[in-house]
Amino acid sequence: MPELPEVETIVRDIRPEVVGRTVLRATLSHTDVLRGVTRPALLRGLAGATVGDLFRRAKHAVFDFGKRRLVVQPGMTGALLVHDRPLSTEEARYAVLRAELNDGRTLVYRDVRRLGTLLWLDARGWTAYDAAIGPEPLDAGFTAEAMRAALGRTRQSIKKALMDQKLLAGVGNIYANEALFAAGIDPSREAVRLSLPEWDALHRELDRILSAAVSGRGSTVRDYRTGTGEQGKFQLSHLVYGREGEPCVRCGTTLAGTHALDARITVFCHRCQV
Ligand SMILES: [Zn+2]
């Protein structure tokens, strides 16, 4: 599923295309992506509304329409695109939400398997939603000490803690695996047991990797596409994710892969990660 760097890329790509534009009318092909809003309420709310801002929070793209916010969490097969010509048959088939803009273009939330979600929140709803998500790892105030304060009290594994959106925003399986390898930390370690130097290393490596992934326009493992419909490049820089059974780039040991920690694949080096 798209993580912080992927959603950041999508938001940066389409922000200049949509901010200041007004939605003339909107259509929705399926309601199974909606959370806490009905189709008529969403479409009525969107019609005539102007995009005041578009920003990322955690793994969500947030369209600020003033009174309401449209929160899009692209699932594994979700994408946000702005079309300046009529949609092809294939494009139309997977366009879940279409918003016709007042400059003649169409904002589309495309989702082949409809694993993503759409929320339509008022100010109170947004405040509550935002408050339930942990700090942003690329914010200037997110120091190693802040990271320890956010993650360091739990007995769950450091990998699960990194991916827990209530503790830390935007990190999912790819970047948790990569950051733990770069920091030399065994993913199964209890978060509460990490030392201060380990928090320093993990903070430094997570920051470095997320920043490089944003510069690389995200990681396309399967379906992720940028806001201009292209593949990201950061998958070429993965050192462990997707490399189980291959040699560790540092020591040559065969990288292990396990599903024992959580439901996701964890890839690590027995020798380099302690
Ligand atoms: Zn190694």
Side-chain angles (χ1 to χ4, degrees):
M1 129 165 356
E3 304 180 30
L4 184 158
E6 291 76 41
V7 180
E8 182 69 27
T9 300
I10 292 170
V11 163
R12 288 185 187 184
D13 282 350
I14 69 167
R15 191 174 188 280
E17 315 285 333
V18 297
V19 170
R21 306 291 187 279
T22 298
V23 177
L24 299 180
R25 65 188 75 77
T27 57
L28 184 80
S29 69
H30 296 78
T31 57
D32 50 4
V33 295
L34 300 180
R35 296 290 179 277
V37 63
T38 63
R39 182 198 316 243
L42 175 64
L43 299 184
R44 212 168 38 233
L46 282 171
T50 298
V51 184
D53 196 7
L54 169 62
F55 60 94
R56 180 193 59 77
R57 172 76 169 115
K59 304 175 191 175
H60 317 296
V62 185
F63 294 81
D64 185 353
F65 285 99
K67 285 185 190 151
R68 293 267 182 174
R69 285 177 170 180
L70 174 68
V71 180
V72 179
Q73 176 163 18
M76 213 186 315
T77 55
L80 281 163
L81 298 159
V82 178
H83 292 269
D84 53 9
R85 47 170 177 74
L87 274 63
S88 70
T89 311
E90 197 271 353
E91 287 165 345
R93 186 172 167 206
Y94 297 117
V96 178
L97 179 68
R98 284 198 229 189
E100 292 174 36
L101 305 175
N102 63 338
D103 62 357
R105 294 191 287 181
T106 309
L107 168 67
V108 171
Y109 175 61
R110 167 193 166 93
D111 195 343
V112 175
R113 291 171 62 194
R114 297 196 309 282
L115 302 168
T117 54
L118 304 180
L119 294 91
W120 182 243
L121 301 175
D122 61 11
R124 262 180 67 190
W126 167 255
T127 301
Y129 194 76
D130 179 61
I133 305 172
E136 285 288 334
L138 292 182
D139 276 1
F142 189 74
T143 59
E145 182 50 43
M147 186 182 205
R148 188 168 75 100
L151 305 179
R153 291 189 203 104
T154 174
R155 305 201 77 87
Q156 62 183 337
S157 70
I158 182 59
K159 186 190 170 214
K160 279 181 92 166
L162 279 171
M163 292 168 57
D164 185 340
Q165 299 301 295
K166 296 190 290 298
L167 303 181
L168 180 66
V171 177
N173 201 38
I174 292 176
Y175 298 103
N177 273 296
E178 293 297 321
L180 287 163
F181 174 75
I185 297 169
D186 179 338
S188 68
R189 292 263 307 281
E190 285 181 15
V192 72
R193 296 206 179 269
L194 264 58
S195 68
L196 287 177
E198 286 172 331
W199 285 114
D200 279 340
L202 186 56
H203 174 267
R204 183 178 63 245
E205 295 303 332
L206 182 66
D207 182 86
R208 181 183 64 77
I209 289 167
L210 290 176
S211 301
V214 170
S215 299
R217 299 177 51 73
S219 301
T220 298
V221 176
R222 285 179 51 188
D223 300 295
Y224 159 70
R225 295 293 182 273
T226 69
T228 52
E230 298 152 320
Q231 297 204 350
K233 294 184 191 77
F234 194 71
Q235 65 280 5
L236 304 173
S237 302
H238 293 173
L239 298 183
V240 284
Y241 185 84
R243 297 195 64 241
E244 63 272 27
E246 296 178 30
C248 170
V249 293
R250 285 207 192 124
C251 74
T253 300
T254 300
L255 294 173
T258 177
H259 286 85
L261 265 190
D262 49 39
R264 319 289 306 279
I265 182 78
T266 300
V267 186
F268 65 105
C269 175
H270 281 294
R271 204 162 172 196
C272 295
Q273 291 173 261
V274 293

